[in-house]
Amino acid sequence: MNRNVATIPQDLIAALKKAKHVVVFTGAGVSAESGIPTFRDSLTGLWERFHAEDLATPGAFHKDKELVWGWYEWRRMKVSQAQPNPAHIAVATLATLVPKLTIVTQNVDDLHERAGSTDVLHLHGSLHSPRCATCGQAHILPPGIPVEPEGGRRSSPPVCICGGLVRPGVVWFGEDLPVRELRQAFEAAQKCDLLFAIGTSGLVQPAARIPSLAKQAGACVVQVNPTSTELDRECTWSVRGGAGEIMPNLLQAAFGPA
Ligand code: OAD
């Protein structure tokens, strides 16, 4: 027996087998095994002396547009070079195994979609959909993977046809989340019978309310994370380990080999 493999509780397996509506709520940890640093990992290269929280603000963009645009282009390159990992694939597979699945992510990457998931609710926007900071017009990025140096670089944001500067299509600290996505995520949390919180520290509101909304409405809440988090007290089960190992094991335990 491999002692590193977390034991999956039998009552969790039973709950998954009979669940009618499952919500999967993901954070940066679900993409960690694809080589994408989590939000609270230390930054390196040009951004070594910054915290991600200090770059992901309207004020940071206002103060130093080249620094912030360069950071997002570097992140877009990293995500474009990465591949979905077994956790993303297990989540996409789960949609074929339960009557209803809603995927809600805080991630700005597209790895759920590239694993085959559709209708993913992105609460914090996307690296792949920049828009004009002045008129809001969507900006079409050049095709292909951006070529950025490993240590990052400052880079001027593109200019919109209105003359305004283009900004990343993400939600920054202090900004509102997209109304439709947030409403649908809250509704799904309140209607589901089982919610997975995978790879999130549960620190950033209002997204972090989602597991507690599910719990208050009577759903079971499962956390998949190698460490303890703010969400521990909301959870019916906390399965400790990497999502890329736990999620495929859990699907196999509940539904048999793929
Ligand atoms: P964090 O970086 O705060 O947390 C990532 C979580 O993933 C941590 O709890 C890790 O223990 C866990 N983790 C690491 N490796 C894992 C693995 N292999 N499998 C499962 N879990 C793993 O990221 P988020 O919770 O996503 O918002 O952060 C939430 C939001 O805070 C982000 O969307 C971003 C940030 O501020 C904005 O940019 C608005």
Side-chain angles (χ1 to χ4, degrees):
M1 182 185 165
N2 182 351
R3 290 187 182 280
N4 294 323
V5 177
T7 309
I8 297 172
Q10 285 302 318
D11 46 356
L12 163 55
I13 295 167
L16 178 57
K17 276 178 163 170
K18 68 173 198 265
K20 300 269 185 299
H21 181 182
V22 176
V23 171
V24 170
F25 171 56
T26 62
V30 81
S31 298
E33 288 162 70
S34 295
I36 308 296
T38 70
F39 213 76
R40 270 153 257 282
D41 282 340
S42 303
L43 299 182
T44 54
L46 182 62
W47 304 286
E48 198 169 8
R49 62 198 171 83
F50 296 94
H51 292 293
E53 290 92 332
D54 300 328
L55 292 173
T57 68
F61 187 63
H62 185 70
K63 186 170 154 203
D64 193 340
K65 293 179 177 57
E66 287 78 16
L67 183 78
V68 172
W69 182 259
W71 184 53
Y72 279 95
E73 281 297 274
W74 179 85
R75 290 175 65 196
R76 191 165 69 85
M77 173 181 76
K78 288 286 168 199
V79 163
S80 303
Q81 290 169 337
Q83 296 301 324
N85 69 54
H88 298 106
I89 293 165
V91 171
T93 305
L94 186 57
T96 67
L97 299 170
V98 295
K100 183 172 164 108
L101 181 78
T102 306
I103 303 173
V104 181
T105 189
Q106 299 163 89
N107 296 344
V108 293
D109 65 47
D110 59 355
L111 294 174
H112 280 304
E113 285 87 348
R114 284 202 271 138
S117 292
T118 52
D119 301 325
V120 179
L121 297 172
H122 281 269
L123 295 182
H124 292 164
S126 164
L127 289 173
H128 306 281
S129 55
R131 64 176 189 275
C132 176
T134 304
C135 72
Q137 172 79 31
H139 177 79
I140 310 296
L141 291 161
I145 299 177
V147 181
E148 298 292 322
E150 196 46 47
R153 64 169 174 172
R154 303 167 69 84
S155 171
S156 297
V159 178
C160 175
I161 43 169
C162 82
L165 287 180
V166 172
R167 58 159 284 175
V170 302
V171 176
W172 279 327
F173 286 101
E175 294 185 319
D176 290 336
L177 274 61
V179 173
R180 179 186 66 85
E181 283 82 351
L182 188 61
R183 179 176 46 76
Q184 289 184 359
F186 280 4
E187 277 174 13
Q190 286 166 320
K191 285 184 185 154
C192 72
D193 37 25
L194 184 63
L195 180 138
F196 285 91
I198 307 175
T200 178
S201 56
L203 289 171
V204 177
Q205 296 294 349
R209 278 185 63 203
I210 286 172
S212 62
L213 285 176
K215 186 184 175 195
Q216 284 159 19
C220 295
V221 176
V222 192
Q223 174 168 240
V224 179
N225 198 309
T227 64
S228 76
T229 74
E230 287 296 308
L231 301 176
D232 286 4
R233 62 180 172 273
E234 312 295 347
C235 292
T236 320
W237 303 279
S238 277
V239 187
R240 295 268 178 260
E245 180 181 26
I246 303 292
M247 291 309 294
N249 285 349
L250 179 51
L251 259 60
Q252 174 155 1
F255 303 108

